[in-house]
Coordinates of all heavy atoms in Angstrom, one line a residue:
V1051 N 21.5 160.5 93.9 CA 21.5 160.3 95.4 C 21.8 161.7 96.0 O 22.8 162.3 95.9 CB 22.7 159.2 95.8 CG1 22.7 159.1 97.3 CG2 22.3 158.1 95.1
K1053 N 20.9 162.4 99.4 CA 20.7 162.2 100.9 C 21.7 163.4 101.6 O 22.6 163.8 100.9 CB 21.0 160.8 101.3 CG 22.5 160.4 101.1 CD 22.8 159.1 101.4 CE 24.2 158.7 101.3 NZ 24.5 157.4 100.7
Y1057 N 24.7 165.8 100.0 CA 26.0 165.8 100.4 C 26.5 167.3 100.7 O 27.6 167.7 100.5 CB 26.9 165.1 99.4 CG 26.7 163.7 98.9 CD1 25.5 163.1 99.0 CD2 27.9 162.9 98.7 CE1 25.4 161.8 98.7 CE2 27.7 161.6 98.4 CZ 26.4 161.0 98.3 OH 26.3 159.6 98.0
A1077 N 17.2 159.6 95.4 CA 17.4 158.8 96.6 C 17.8 159.7 97.7 O 18.8 160.5 97.6 CB 18.5 157.7 96.3
L1103 N 16.5 155.7 101.4 CA 17.5 154.6 101.5 C 17.5 154.0 102.9 O 17.8 152.8 102.9 CB 18.9 155.1 101.2 CG 19.1 155.8 99.7 CD1 20.4 156.3 99.7 CD2 19.0 154.6 98.6
F1123 N 13.2 151.8 101.0 CA 14.0 150.6 100.9 C 13.4 149.8 102.0 O 13.2 150.2 103.2 CB 15.5 150.9 101.3 CG 16.4 151.0 100.1 CD1 15.8 151.6 98.9 CD2 17.7 150.8 100.2 CE1 16.7 151.7 97.8 CE2 18.6 151.0 99.0 CZ 18.0 151.5 98.0
K1149 N 15.6 145.7 99.5 CA 17.0 146.0 99.8 C 17.7 144.7 100.2 O 17.2 144.0 101.2 CB 17.1 147.1 101.0 CG 18.4 147.3 101.5 CD 19.4 147.9 100.4 CE 20.8 147.9 100.9 NZ 21.5 149.1 101.5
R1156 N 25.1 145.6 106.3 CA 24.5 146.8 107.0 C 23.1 146.6 107.1 O 22.4 146.5 108.1 CB 25.1 147.9 106.3 CG 25.1 149.4 107.0 CD 25.7 150.5 106.3 NE 25.2 150.7 104.9 CZ 25.5 151.8 104.2 NH1 26.4 152.6 104.5 NH2 24.9 151.9 103.1
S1183 N 17.5 146.5 95.3 CA 18.8 147.2 95.3 C 19.6 146.5 96.4 O 19.3 145.8 97.3 CB 18.5 148.7 95.9 OG 17.5 149.3 95.3
S1184 N 21.0 146.8 96.0 CA 22.0 146.3 97.0 C 23.2 147.3 96.8 O 23.3 148.0 95.9 CB 22.4 144.9 96.8 OG 23.4 144.5 97.7
H1185 N 24.1 147.3 97.9 CA 25.1 148.4 97.9 C 26.5 147.8 97.9 O 26.7 146.9 98.5 CB 25.0 149.3 99.0 CG 25.6 150.6 99.1 ND1 25.9 151.3 98.0 CD2 26.3 151.4 100.1 CE1 26.4 152.6 98.2 NE2 26.8 152.4 99.5
L1186 N 27.4 148.4 97.0 CA 28.8 147.9 96.8 C 29.7 148.5 98.0 O 29.6 149.5 98.2 CB 29.4 148.1 95.6 CG 28.5 147.6 94.3 CD1 29.0 148.2 93.1 CD2 28.8 146.1 94.4
L1223 N 22.5 148.5 91.6 CA 23.6 148.0 92.4 C 24.7 149.0 92.6 O 25.2 149.3 93.6 CB 24.1 146.6 91.9 CG 25.3 146.1 92.6 CD1 25.0 145.8 94.1 CD2 25.8 144.8 91.9
A1224 N 25.0 149.6 91.3 CA 26.2 150.4 91.2 C 26.0 151.8 92.0 O 25.1 152.4 91.8 CB 26.6 150.6 89.8
N1225 N 26.9 152.2 92.8 CA 27.1 153.6 93.2 C 28.0 154.2 92.2 O 28.4 153.7 91.1 CB 27.8 153.6 94.6 CG 29.2 152.8 94.6 OD1 29.6 152.3 93.7 ND2 29.7 152.7 95.9
S1226 N 28.5 155.5 92.5 CA 29.4 156.2 91.6 C 30.5 155.4 91.0 O 30.8 155.3 89.8 CB 29.9 157.5 92.2 OG 28.8 158.4 92.6
A1227 N 31.2 154.8 92.0 CA 32.5 154.1 91.6 C 31.9 152.8 90.7 O 32.7 152.5 89.7 CB 33.2 153.6 92.8
I1229 N 29.4 152.7 88.7 CA 29.1 153.4 87.3 C 30.3 153.5 86.6 O 30.3 153.3 85.3 CB 28.3 154.7 87.6 CG1 26.9 154.6 88.3 CG2 28.0 155.3 86.0 CD1 26.3 155.8 88.7
R1241 N 22.8 154.1 91.1 CA 22.7 155.3 92.0 C 23.9 156.0 92.3 O 24.9 155.7 92.7 CB 22.2 154.6 93.5 CG 21.0 153.7 93.5 CD 20.6 153.2 94.8 NE 21.7 152.5 95.6 CZ 22.2 151.3 95.3 NH1 21.5 150.6 94.6 NH2 23.2 150.8 96.0
G1242 N 23.8 157.2 91.7 CA 25.1 158.0 91.6 C 25.0 159.1 92.7 O 24.1 159.8 92.9
G1243 N 26.1 159.1 93.6 CA 26.2 160.2 94.7 C 27.3 161.1 94.4 O 27.4 162.1 93.9
I1244 N 28.4 160.7 95.0 CA 29.6 161.5 95.2 C 30.1 162.1 93.9 O 30.5 163.2 93.8 CB 30.8 160.8 95.9 CG1 31.9 161.7 96.2 CG2 31.3 159.6 95.1 CD1 31.5 162.6 97.5
A1245 N 30.0 161.3 92.8 CA 30.5 161.8 91.5 C 29.6 163.0 90.9 O 30.1 163.9 90.2 CB 30.5 160.7 90.3
L1246 N 28.4 163.1 91.3 CA 27.5 164.2 91.0 C 28.2 165.5 91.5 O 28.0 166.6 90.9 CB 26.2 164.1 91.6 CG 25.1 163.0 91.1 CD1 23.9 163.0 91.9 CD2 24.9 163.3 89.6
Y1247 N 28.9 165.5 92.7 CA 29.3 166.5 93.3 C 30.7 166.8 92.9 O 31.4 167.8 93.2 CB 29.2 166.5 94.9 CG 27.8 166.0 95.2 CD1 27.4 164.8 95.4 CD2 26.8 167.0 94.9 CE1 26.2 164.3 95.7 CE2 25.4 166.6 95.1 CZ 25.1 165.3 95.6 OH 23.7 164.8 95.7
P1251 N 35.8 159.2 92.9 CA 35.8 158.2 93.8 C 37.1 157.4 93.9 O 37.4 156.6 94.8 CB 34.7 157.2 93.3 CG 34.1 158.0 92.2 CD 34.9 159.1 91.8
Y1381 N 33.4 162.8 100.9 CA 32.1 162.7 101.5 C 32.0 163.6 102.6 O 30.9 164.3 102.8 CB 31.6 161.3 101.7 CG 31.6 160.3 100.5 CD1 32.8 159.9 99.9 CD2 30.4 159.8 100.1 CE1 32.8 158.9 98.9 CE2 30.5 158.8 98.9 CZ 31.8 158.5 98.4 OH 31.6 157.4 97.5
Ligands
PLP970 C1 25.0 157.0 99.5 C2 24.6 155.9 98.7 C3 24.8 155.7 97.3 C4 25.8 156.7 96.6 O1 27.0 156.3 96.8 P1 28.3 157.2 96.1 O2 29.5 156.4 96.5 O3 28.1 158.5 96.7 O4 27.9 157.2 94.6 C5 24.3 154.7 96.7 N1 23.5 153.7 97.3 C6 23.2 153.8 98.6 C7 22.4 152.7 99.2 C8 23.8 154.8 99.4 O5 23.6 154.8 100.7

Side-chain angles (χ1 to χ4, degrees):
V1051 180
K1053 67 188 182 215
Y1057 294 37
L1103 298 173
F1123 266 27
K1149 168 75 194 257
R1156 202 170 58 170
S1183 307
S1184 187
H1185 195 37
L1186 296 170
L1223 174 62
N1225 54 1
S1226 297
I1229 294 171
R1241 302 183 309 273
I1244 194 70
L1246 289 178
Y1247 310 103
Y1381 298 68

